[in-house]
Amino acid sequence: NIVIEQVERDVRVLSRVLAQSISISQQLPNQVEDVLGHGMQATATSLSHFVAAAEMAGKKPAEIQRSLREIIASSMISEIWITDPKGKAYLYAPLEGVDFTFSPDAKAQPQASAFWPLITGQATFINQPMMSREIDGKNYKYVGVPGVDKHRIVQVGTLGDTLIALRDAVGLPKLVRLMVNQGALKAIVVVQQDMTPVASEMANSSDGQQLTAQQNNILRQVMASGKGHTEIVSDHIEVFQPIS
């Protein structure tokens, strides 16, 4: 009984740690992304002034694009898209030969259409969360500002790999993996209320932990009642604990 009580206390503490980890893993990447977006805004605003000055000085598109590629090579920016008043991207880097026109149709362009208000004057800054883009389905974060000389979109983007890596680094799956790998726990499984897996790890297994039908039933009862439950199995103790 003493051992069981200690295990139950440990799991209650663990559930509070997991709850805090979930909160941090949800908030921190979003906060970092927001700060990143404001840094990208400064670059986009500078580009808006640069393009206006370059075109006024008679620079040809090919010359401007060379400068854009140099900017990308020396910064965290992965892409630059600059349009005409109709939304057609005619200055871009580093891609070559791309024929892309921004549209206000959210059904046709779920990601890119969000920047159309920069052309109409309805927005002066768009800090779009990382999402899959229309061209190739890759995850990108984009920020845009309007032109200073004409109605246009000046957009900068960065590949989402860094943000995805950050989410993984502070995410619940990594914390669960670390806890099990320390050797005190045989397995941890975290599910949402609809029983969708959030994270799972089992010692000496690369496939995580698959719950049995009985374990799933117990979990449903625990989530419905809000009270923990303990099962004594032949070679281990299973504790089911709700996370608030």
Side-chain angles (χ1 to χ4, degrees):
N1 286 343
I2 295 176
V3 172
I4 294 175
E5 290 175 1
Q6 181 61 51
V7 170
E8 290 175 338
R9 282 195 297 270
D10 291 345
V11 173
R12 284 195 293 271
V13 172
L14 175 59
S15 70
R16 290 195 289 270
V17 171
L18 293 177
Q20 292 174 349
S21 174
I22 292 171
S23 177
I24 292 172
S25 66
Q26 290 173 339
Q27 295 176 28
L28 181 58
N30 293 337
Q31 293 170 349
V32 171
E33 184 174 341
D34 187 61
V35 172
L36 173 63
H38 282 83
M40 294 169 68
Q41 178 190 12
T43 302
T45 301
S46 298
L47 283 170
S48 181
H49 287 274
F50 165 74
V51 170
E55 291 185 336
M56 187 176 295
K59 295 287 186 182
K60 295 180 180 180
E63 294 179 277
I64 297 175
Q65 292 208 158
R66 279 198 296 272
S67 297
L68 298 184
R69 286 194 289 270
E70 290 173 3
I71 292 171
I72 287 176
S74 60
S75 72
M76 56 168 286
I77 299 300
S78 302
E79 287 185 1
I80 298 171
W81 297 85
I82 300 174
T83 76
D84 62 17
K86 294 183 178 180
K88 181 174 178 58
Y90 71 101
L91 294 171
Y92 42 81
L95 302 179
E96 296 290 349
V98 175
D99 184 7
F100 186 78
T101 299
F102 286 79
S103 167
D105 187 349
K107 291 184 178 180
Q109 294 182 357
Q111 175 267 317
S113 63
F115 291 86
W116 189 260
L118 295 172
I119 289 181
T120 62
Q122 295 173 297
T124 58
F125 170 50
I126 293 177
N127 184 1
Q128 187 179 62
M130 180 187 66
M131 63 177 61
S132 174
R133 64 181 186 178
E134 284 86 8
I135 294 178
D136 52 17
K138 291 182 179 179
N139 287 314
Y140 264 79
K141 175 171 181 59
Y142 285 109
V143 166
V145 299
V148 296
D149 57 338
K150 63 180 72 174
H151 294 293
R152 66 160 103 219
I153 297 169
V154 179
Q155 184 192 75
V156 296
T158 185
L159 192 60
D161 290 357
T162 301
L163 291 170
I164 292 173
L166 174 63
R167 293 183 187 279
D168 291 341
V170 301
L172 188 61
K174 183 170 184 179
L175 176 61
V176 165
R177 187 162 55 251
L178 289 173
M179 288 181 168
V180 172
N181 288 342
Q182 287 177 350
L185 299 168
K186 181 178 180 180
I188 300 177
V189 180
V190 182
V191 300
Q192 297 183 19
Q193 287 192 327
D194 62 359
M195 302 303 293
T196 302
V198 177
S200 69
E201 186 73 19
M202 182 175 182
N204 303 318
S205 173
S206 59
D207 300 325
Q209 169 71 23
Q210 301 297 320
L211 297 177
T212 65
Q214 181 182 1
Q215 289 170 331
N216 280 321
N217 289 333
I218 295 174
L219 270 177
R220 291 189 182 92
Q221 295 171 12
V222 166
M223 286 189 284
S225 67
K227 298 179 180 179
H229 177 82
T230 301
E231 286 280 314
I232 301 176
V233 189
S234 58
D235 61 345
H236 63 274
I237 299 172
E238 296 178 356
V239 181
F240 301 80
Q241 180 70 30
I243 298 175
S244 59

